[in-house]
Amino acid sequence: MSETANRYKEFIEEIPDHVKLVAVSKTKPVNDILQLYDIGHRVFGENKVQELTGKYESLPKDIQWHMVGHLQRNKVKYVAPFVSMIHSVDSMKLLNTIEKEGRKNEKKIDCLLQVHIASEETKFGFSEEELAELMKDIDPGAYPHVGIRGLMGMATFTEDMNKIRGEFRKLKTFYDRIRSSHANEFPEFIELSMGMSNDYKIAVEEGSTMIRIGSNIFGERNYH
Ligand SMILES: *Cc1c(COP(=O)(O)O)cnc(C)c1O
């Protein structure tokens, strides 16, 4: 068995059954993905449109592809035909474009609304206030081709585990509030995507339903 497959097997043993695993394969070759595919894994994440579409084309069609990175509106059309979830919806304009492309493709595209929880300015996402307003104003009837499935957040990149825990806890509290106040209009709003290789343990303890794991499974990435 390959190193990647071994790391995956060890990793999933640690994860509670109710937590979904998105294996983030960015920068890794299709062969690494196939090693997990061959032992039954189907959910993979990418953060760049070009890499995502390339891998989609060369890999088995029953893979569920998640777009986890920032998505520009003019690129939605490339992923809409096959993507199964977009984790990174950070504007109404993007949501409108996804609705339009979903309609063209006669499918419903599952989305998570990204919340900015980190202290870094560089990370994308709505503030809690913006998102609370959006959820109040949005007419679910106007988005038949979008599934608003929940929230996504990325904690600050830091060694300070208390800070990370605080950010995840705050996001979970906000998620619970939104979920309970909009359960009638958005019954599918049940996912909270939080946790990466460095902080997934904390994320799971704090109520994550979906973790996005790259390096713990595929090994460190080499950027050139
Ligand atoms: C790269 C990436 C991940 C996975 O990162 P690791 O630290 O390698 O687990 C998760 N989410 C997003 C949005 C990413 O870009």
Side-chain angles (χ1 to χ4, degrees):
M1 184 157 301
S2 74
E3 260 182 70
T4 301
N6 272 328
R7 274 192 299 258
Y8 170 83
K9 287 202 156 175
E10 276 173 28
F11 189 83
I12 50 170
E13 303 226 320
E14 283 183 47
I15 306 300
D17 288 341
H18 67 274
V19 176
K20 300 180 188 76
L21 170 63
V22 180
V24 179
S25 47
K26 65 191 188 198
T27 78
K28 298 295 177 180
V30 293
N31 250 330
D32 289 11
I33 297 173
L34 279 174
Q35 275 155 19
L36 299 195
Y37 182 88
D38 287 343
I39 55 173
H41 193 76
R42 291 293 179 272
V43 185
F44 293 91
E46 289 285 338
N47 73 335
K48 293 211 164 66
V49 168
Q50 206 177 355
E51 190 173 349
L52 175 57
T53 52
K55 284 175 175 169
Y56 163 74
E57 277 159 22
S58 44
L59 283 161
K61 294 299 170 283
D62 61 340
I63 287 179
Q64 294 160 40
W65 289 105
H66 287 216
M67 175 60 186
V68 300
H70 182 64
L71 179 59
Q72 287 172 297
R73 274 187 294 151
N74 60 357
K75 294 193 176 164
V76 176
K77 57 177 178 285
Y78 302 117
V79 301
F82 67 89
V83 77
S84 80
M85 183 176 266
I86 297 171
H87 286 233
S88 43
V89 176
D90 58 3
S91 73
M92 260 327 260
K93 283 179 167 175
L94 179 57
L95 200 68
N96 291 337
T97 304
I98 295 169
E99 168 60 28
K100 193 179 87 188
E101 296 298 329
R103 188 185 332 123
K104 275 193 208 158
N105 287 280
E106 298 180 356
K107 65 180 278 207
K108 189 164 168 175
I109 301 174
D110 282 342
C111 290
L112 301 175
L113 303 170
Q114 185 172 354
V115 190
H116 189 279
I117 59 171
S119 8
E120 295 120 331
E121 292 285 329
T122 50
K123 287 184 176 147
F124 294 97
F126 294 102
S127 68
E128 288 188 4
E129 296 71 32
E130 286 169 335
L131 225 155
E133 279 303 304
L134 184 156
M135 290 298 292
K136 248 189 264 161
D137 295 344
I138 194 170
D139 169 12
Y143 294 90
H145 302 92
V146 170
I148 299 188
R149 301 298 315 279
L151 303 179
M152 186 273 253
M154 288 167 86
T156 304
F157 186 71
T158 172
E159 306 271 284
D160 182 350
M161 295 298 151
N162 288 325
K163 182 173 170 67
I164 295 174
R165 187 178 296 280
E167 290 172 358
F168 284 153
R169 187 166 294 179
K170 187 158 177 281
L171 180 58
K172 172 65 158 67
T173 303
F174 179 68
Y175 160 82
D176 284 339
R177 192 185 109 204
I178 296 290
R179 188 181 161 190
S180 58
S181 48
H182 297 282
N184 289 332
E185 318 96 273
F186 298 103
E188 300 175 303
F189 189 99
I190 54 167
E191 301 291 355
L192 179 57
S193 167
M194 59 182 197
M196 305 171 37
S197 291
N198 284 327
D199 55 22
Y200 75 92
K201 283 189 184 143
I202 303 174
V204 168
E205 285 166 8
E206 296 300 330
S208 171
T209 69
M210 203 180 265
I211 55 177
R212 310 176 310 275
I213 305 297
S215 36
N216 281 0
I217 294 174
F218 291 104
E220 293 298 322
R221 286 178 296 274
N222 296 312
Y223 289 104
H224 298 284

